[in-house]
């Protein structure tokens, strides 16, 4: 059954149409978890991350995946995804807030965003609605296209050292004089 949303009641209708367990457009009236300031984010983001677009938070490098792309894409390969850190810290207030700050996204969290609460799956950003939610059925490698994940990525390995320069070959001996 497809429900058509009317202009008079778009919020609840949209949530039901998307199959969400909450209303993503509900007015924000309570803050969940402990929020951190921009100054605290700037201080935490000093971790050196070699990946372009990655920010360092509490010793891990994070990238917010693009819409329709998993953490494998965001981290430039499945082997570079820190699966446990992605799962464990995807709901962390510092990770969520600092990613939002670095990307210039509006930071608005309420109790339904579940920021700072344990998540047995992965905490995802509902793209376009700018709402976060825990989804126990999804992983860093498997979630729907309308979501973005805060992916913890291992830094790229350092390239091997360059071999030492080979010295130039000694000059050839002079040719013998003609007879």
């Amino acid at each position: 059954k497809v429900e058509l949303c009317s202009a008079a009641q778009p919020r609840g209708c949209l949530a039901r149409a998307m199959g969400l367990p909450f209303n993503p457009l509900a007015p924000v009236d309570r803050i969940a978890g402990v929020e951190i300031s921009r100054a605290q984010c700037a201080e935490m983001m000093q971790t050196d991350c070699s990946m372009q677009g990655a920010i360092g938070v509490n010793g891990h490098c994070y990238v917010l995946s693009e819409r329709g792309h998993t953490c494998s894409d965001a981290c430039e390969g499945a082997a570079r995804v820190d699966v446990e850190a992605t799962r464990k810290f995807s709901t962390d207030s510092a990770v969520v807030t600092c990613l939002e700050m670095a990307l210039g996204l509006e930071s608005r969290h309420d109790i339904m965003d579940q920021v700072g609460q344990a998540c047995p799956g992965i905490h995802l950003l509902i793209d376009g609605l700018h709402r976060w939610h825990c989804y126990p059925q999804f992983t860093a490698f498997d979630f729907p296209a309308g979501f973005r994940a805060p992916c913890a990525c291992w830094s790229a390995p350092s390239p091997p050292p360059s071999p030492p320069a080979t010295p130039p070959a000694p000059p050839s001996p002079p040719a013998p004089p003609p007879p």
Side-chain angles (χ1 to χ4, degrees):
K1 174 185 168 195
V2 175
E3 180 179 352
L4 297 176
C5 297
S6 71
Q9 295 184 332
R11 292 179 179 195
C13 178
L14 178 62
R16 287 188 303 279
M18 292 179 69
L20 298 175
F22 63 94
N23 182 350
L25 299 175
V28 175
D29 58 3
R30 295 192 314 184
I31 300 297
V34 177
E35 295 299 317
I36 63 172
S37 71
R38 290 182 180 273
Q40 288 169 314
C41 272
E43 187 176 305
M44 279 190 248
M45 290 174 16
Q46 299 306 312
T47 304
D48 181 38
C49 291
S50 61
M51 291 188 60
Q52 184 171 351
I55 63 163
V57 180
N58 295 332
H60 291 90
C61 293
Y62 288 91
V63 176
L64 187 62
S65 68
E66 293 296 325
R67 183 178 195 166
H69 295 272
T70 68
C71 290
S72 292
D73 300 319
C75 294
E76 301 171 358
R80 292 192 48 202
V81 179
D82 183 340
V83 177
E84 183 58 21
T86 297
R87 186 199 62 73
K88 186 176 179 182
F89 298 110
S90 65
T91 185
D92 185 78
S93 179
V95 170
V96 169
T97 303
C98 294
L99 275 170
E100 290 173 333
M101 187 185 96
L103 297 171
L105 300 174
E106 176 189 351
S107 181
R108 67 168 218 182
H109 308 141
D110 67 24
I111 195 70
M112 290 185 287
D113 287 312
Q114 300 173 321
V115 174
Q117 298 175 20
C119 178
I122 189 168
H123 200 238
L124 299 170
L125 175 67
I126 305 168
D127 199 32
L129 297 178
H130 192 78
R131 300 305 302 255
W132 294 86
H133 193 69
C134 171
Y135 293 92
Q137 72 272 32
F138 299 131
T139 70
F141 303 112
D142 179 34
F143 54 87
F147 296 86
R148 296 174 75 183
C151 307
C153 305
W154 298 109
S155 294
S158 299
S162 300
T166 54
S172 304

